Amino acid sequence: MRYLTFALGKGRLAGQTMELLAKCGIECKEVTDKNTRKLLFTNEELGLRFFLAKGPDVPTYVEYGAADIGIVGEDTILEENRRVYEVLDLGFGKCRMCVCGPKEAKDLLDHHERIRVASKYPNIAKDYFYNQKHQTVDIIKLNGSVELGPIVNLSDVIVDIVETGSTLRENGLEVLEEICPLSARVIVNQVSMQMETDRIKALVNKMKENLG
Ligand code: PRP
């Protein structure tokens, strides 16, 4: 039996992902052990391997078959646009992709002005402004703390995920337009799905049964 490999997104989803896998009887606590620099963990008994990766890399590992299964936010799946199967909505990690900024920037959006948009999600931002709103904008790619954009005048607005809204509130910004709701998803490599259908379906069903 060959190993099935899970790629798990680091960060805010990791804890809930581990809890879900534990409920499924899949023990992989070591993965989140802060005291180890080891990257790949094996559960010999179940024939499974696990690793944590930066969110945007999870769909890459899955598309190339370096991981059979990935657990990652839908924001990342939309942004990366990789050839993978999306098989399950885990229902946690719920948040919204939004255009945010100072209240005054609402006018710029309403009048379709050529504005600057900072985002960790340039593809989602581009698709929203160009294909949905038909508004020409300049997109500036950032890698984090995107809320700084309008505060220090790098950009007029941002496209970012909003969960509790506290980052926006603490920085005097607000949601100006909502793009889409988001949650954590399970993705599967397309070849693995054909070759290991039964094992993968059993794992996905187990996750489904243990949700919520
Ligand atoms: C995300 C996102 C917002 C914040 C939203 O950032 O980019 O900044 O969380 O959450 P809230 O609505 O609950 O405040 P993250 O914490 O992933 O860090 P980053 O800014 O460094 O990317």
Side-chain angles (χ1 to χ4, degrees), residues 12 120 144-145 147 160-167:
R12 32 178 83 204
K120 278 189 289 192
S145 305
E147 289 80 1
D160 201 10
I161 55 169
V162 178
E163 191 179 351
T164 61
S166 55
T167 313

Side-chain angles (χ1 to χ4, degrees), residues 171-210:
N171 292 288
L173 306 174
E174 53 189 64
V175 171
L176 302 172
E177 290 177 355
E178 192 171 319
I179 301 178
C180 60
L182 302 163
S183 57
R185 304 287 160 123
V186 179
I187 54 174
V188 175
N189 172 269
Q190 297 187 341
V191 175
S192 307
M193 196 55 143
Q194 313 304 324
M195 308 295 287
E196 297 283 352
T197 316
D198 294 347
R199 284 173 78 199
I200 291 176
K201 278 197 174 160
L203 281 166
V204 171
N205 282 337
K206 206 180 254 181
M207 285 190 253
K208 202 170 175 179
E209 283 161 19
N210 284 286

Side-chain angles (χ1 to χ4, degrees), residues 93-110:
K94 279 204 165 102
C95 54
R96 300 175 291 155
M97 184 64 70
C98 298
V99 182
C100 312
K103 211 172 41 238
E104 309 77 67
K106 182 79 179 127
D107 273 353
L108 303 173
L109 291 169
D110 291 346

Side-chain angles (χ1 to χ4, degrees), residues 46-203:
L46 299 175
L48 300 175
R49 299 192 306 173
F50 306 89
F51 63 87
L52 276 180
K54 290 243 169 155
D57 294 338
V58 169
T60 313
Y61 285 109
V62 174
E63 181 183 275
Y64 284 92
D68 303 285
I69 301 172
I71 299 183
V72 72
E74 194 186 359
D75 50 329
T76 305
I77 298 169
L78 292 172
E79 178 63 24
E80 298 301 316
N81 198 22
R82 294 280 176 181
R83 279 165 300 178
V84 296
Y85 291 135
E86 199 182 301
V87 297
L88 182 63
D89 179 352
L90 292 172
F92 59 73
K94 279 204 165 102
C95 54
R96 300 175 291 155
M97 184 64 70
C98 298
V99 182
C100 312
K103 211 172 41 238
E104 309 77 67
K106 182 79 179 127
D107 273 353
L108 303 173
L109 291 169
D110 291 346
H111 297 126
H112 284 62
E113 302 272 350
R114 182 164 187 150
I115 52 172
R116 289 200 289 199
V117 180
S119 189
K120 278 189 289 192
Y121 304 95
N123 294 325
I124 293 175
K126 196 166 156 193
D127 178 66
Y128 179 69
F129 280 102
Y130 282 76
N131 301 333
Q132 297 186 47
K133 282 204 75 183
H134 306 291
Q135 178 173 359
T136 304
V137 297
D138 296 315
I139 292 166
I140 303 170
K141 164 88 202 273
L142 289 179
N143 293 297
S145 305
V146 180
E147 289 80 1
L148 269 173
I151 301 176
V152 299
N153 280 326
L154 174 72
S155 67
D156 300 289
V157 297
I158 62 173
V159 165
D160 201 10
I161 55 169
V162 178
E163 191 179 351
T164 61
S166 55
T167 313
L168 290 179
R169 269 192 303 280
E170 288 186 29
N171 292 288
L173 306 174
E174 53 189 64
V175 171
L176 302 172
E177 290 177 355
E178 192 171 319
I179 301 178
C180 60
L182 302 163
S183 57
R185 304 287 160 123
V186 179
I187 54 174
V188 175
N189 172 269
Q190 297 187 341
V191 175
S192 307
M193 196 55 143
Q194 313 304 324
M195 308 295 287
E196 297 283 352
T197 316
D198 294 347
R199 284 173 78 199
I200 291 176
K201 278 197 174 160
L203 281 166

